[in-house]
Amino acid sequence: MQTTQSDTKCSDTKIVSRHPIYQQNVPIIMGILNVTPDSFSDGSKFNQRDKAIAHAEQMLVDGADIIDIGGESTRPGAAEVSVNQELDRVIPIIEKVKSLGAKISIDTSKPEVMLAAAKAGADMLNDVRALSMPGALDAAVASQLPVCLMHMQGMPQTMQKNPNYSQVVSEVLAYLKQRVDCCVKAGLARALLSVDPGFGFGKTLQHNLQLLQHLNQFKQLGLPVLAGLSRKSMLGQITGREVDDRLAGSLAVALIAMQNGAAILRVHDVKQTLDVKKIFLALQSVSK
Ligand code: 7PJ
C-alpha cells in the first residue's frame, strides 16, 4: 500500500497521518461508487459492472481523490447481503478500478470482504459499523490499511425508527473516541484512523444539523474527519427535494462541512464538489 505522510495538527494532539490521500488543510474528495443492484437496476451483471467502471472513470476525470466502493446497501430497510454476494459485487470492481490507477476505499463491515478487498488492492477500509462486527477489528489489523470509523445508532433496518440522544455531539464523539482507543489497543496505529459522525445513521434531522454545526469538535480526536452528506434524506427534509434533485443541497452542506474542518468529503457529484472545494480554498488563502 502506498501512503503519503503529512502532519495532522490539532488542538492538543499531533500525529502523522498515514491516510492514503490525506492532506493538511486541503479537503479531499471521495467519490461514491455503489455496486448494489438497486443502484444500477437495469441490465445484466456484465452491464452493471461496465456501468460501474465507467462511472468510476468519470469520477476520476472529474477529480475524485479516492473511490469508495460499496456492495452492501445500508439504507433503512435494505435487504441483508451475504458475504459471497458482496464479494462477487465488489472484488471485480476493485481490481478494475485499481487498474485505472485510482485510490480505493472499500465500504464494508464484513471481515471477509475487508481481507479480500485488501488483497485486491484497496487502499482504505470504510466501515459504517466502526469495526464492531465479529472479526472486523482483527481483519483491519491484519490488513494494516487506513480505516474510517463511523458512528451509527442501532442497525440499518431500524436505525431511523426512534433515534435518541441526550447530547448528540458529545455522545457520538465519546463513541468514536472509544472505538479509536479500541483500534489502537488491537494494533492499528492512530495514524491509520479517521472518524465520521455518520450523518443519517440513527439520527433525526435535528441531530444531523447539530453534528454538522459542531463538526469541528470532532477534530479534537486529532484525526481526519470524514463527512458523508451527499444526497442524504436530511437534505430532502429541508428542501422537499427527491434524491436525484439534491445537488444544490449537497453542495451547500459540503461547503459547510469543509468550513467546519472536514478532511474528506464523501460525495456523488465529484465535479461540482471540486468547484466548491476550489472556492473554499481560494477563500482560505486570503483569510490567513
Ligand atoms: C456513509 C458511508 C457515510 C461513511 C454510506 C449513503 C449511505 N460511509 N456509507 N460515511 N454513508 N464513512 O451514501 O447515503 O456517511 S451509505
Side-chain angles (χ1 to χ4, degrees):
M1 186 203 51
Q2 290 178 334
T3 56
T4 46
Q5 302 216 337
S6 47
D7 280 343
T8 309
K9 265 194 206 133
C10 262
S11 47
D12 54 352
T13 343
K14 188 178 178 198
I15 60 157
V16 176
S17 181
R18 274 196 267 153
H19 189 279
I21 40 163
Y22 179 68
Q23 295 174 51
Q24 194 179 7
N25 296 328
V26 181
I28 57 143
I29 297 177
M30 173 184 269
I32 301 170
L33 188 65
N34 282 319
V35 289
T36 50
D38 44 320
S39 46
F40 290 94
S41 50
D42 57 323
S44 66
K45 191 186 270 186
F46 176 74
N47 194 12
Q48 287 172 37
R49 278 189 191 154
D50 255 14
K51 278 192 182 173
I53 306 298
H55 188 51
E57 273 182 308
Q58 186 60 53
M59 290 195 288
L60 292 167
V61 168
D62 289 344
D65 298 291
I66 187 165
I67 305 290
D68 188 44
I69 299 174
E72 181 211 20
S73 179
T74 40
R75 251 182 273 156
E80 285 201 23
V81 178
S82 74
V83 170
N84 282 339
Q85 261 178 317
E86 201 176 320
L87 287 171
D88 186 47
R89 288 177 187 175
V90 300
I91 299 301
I93 307 285
I94 292 176
E95 286 168 350
K96 191 72 215 267
V97 177
K98 186 77 188 173
S99 76
L100 302 172
K103 295 279 184 201
I104 290 165
S105 148
I106 172 75
D107 188 348
T108 190
S109 297
K110 295 188 180 72
E112 298 89 345
V113 177
M114 291 175 188
L115 291 171
K119 213 170 146 198
D123 300 279
M124 173 181 173
L125 309 176
N126 173 27
D127 187 0
V128 299
R129 293 177 183 81
L131 304 180
S132 66
M133 272 186 44
L137 188 54
D138 289 345
V141 172
S143 79
Q144 285 298 307
L145 287 176
V147 184
C148 178
L149 302 166
M150 198 198 82
H151 173 274
M152 164 162 54
Q153 186 179 81
M155 284 296 140
Q157 282 73 19
T158 51
M159 65 190 178
Q160 288 308 107
K161 290 233 165 91
N162 188 24
N164 184 36
Y165 303 83
S166 51
Q167 236 309 328
V168 67
V169 176
S170 55
E171 281 176 51
V172 172
L173 192 52
Y175 171 82
L176 291 173
K177 185 174 184 315
Q178 175 240 313
R179 293 309 297 158
V180 167
D181 290 346
C182 195
C183 288
V184 171
K185 219 177 257 176
L188 276 176
R190 259 190 104 77
L192 289 172
L193 305 175
S194 49
V195 292
D196 180 347
F199 292 100
F201 285 84
K203 280 120 189 156
T204 63
L205 174 59
Q206 283 308 309
H207 297 140
N208 288 319
L209 290 173
Q210 282 170 25
L211 289 166
L212 181 57
Q213 182 81 324
H214 300 289
L215 195 66
N216 53 14
Q217 286 199 31
F218 289 85
K219 287 176 78 179
Q220 69 185 253
L221 295 172
L223 301 171
V225 176
L226 188 152
L229 292 147
S230 185
R231 299 186 189 173
K232 285 203 171 160
S233 67
M234 62 181 279
L235 305 175
Q237 287 174 273
I238 298 168
T239 62
R241 305 268 180 214
E242 290 303 318
V243 64
D244 291 338
D245 201 12
R246 293 180 190 158
L247 175 59
S250 298
L251 297 177
V253 289
L255 180 58
I256 295 165
M258 288 183 211
Q259 287 176 329
N260 289 349
I264 307 162
L265 277 302
R266 183 182 177 278
V267 301
H268 299 88
D269 303 289
V270 170
K271 180 178 159 186
Q272 295 88 344
T273 308
L274 181 58
D275 283 358
V276 171
K277 169 175 153 175
K278 285 177 179 171
I279 289 164
F280 167 75
L281 292 176
L283 227 78
Q284 255 203 341
S285 70
V286 294
S287 62
K288 273 185 203 145

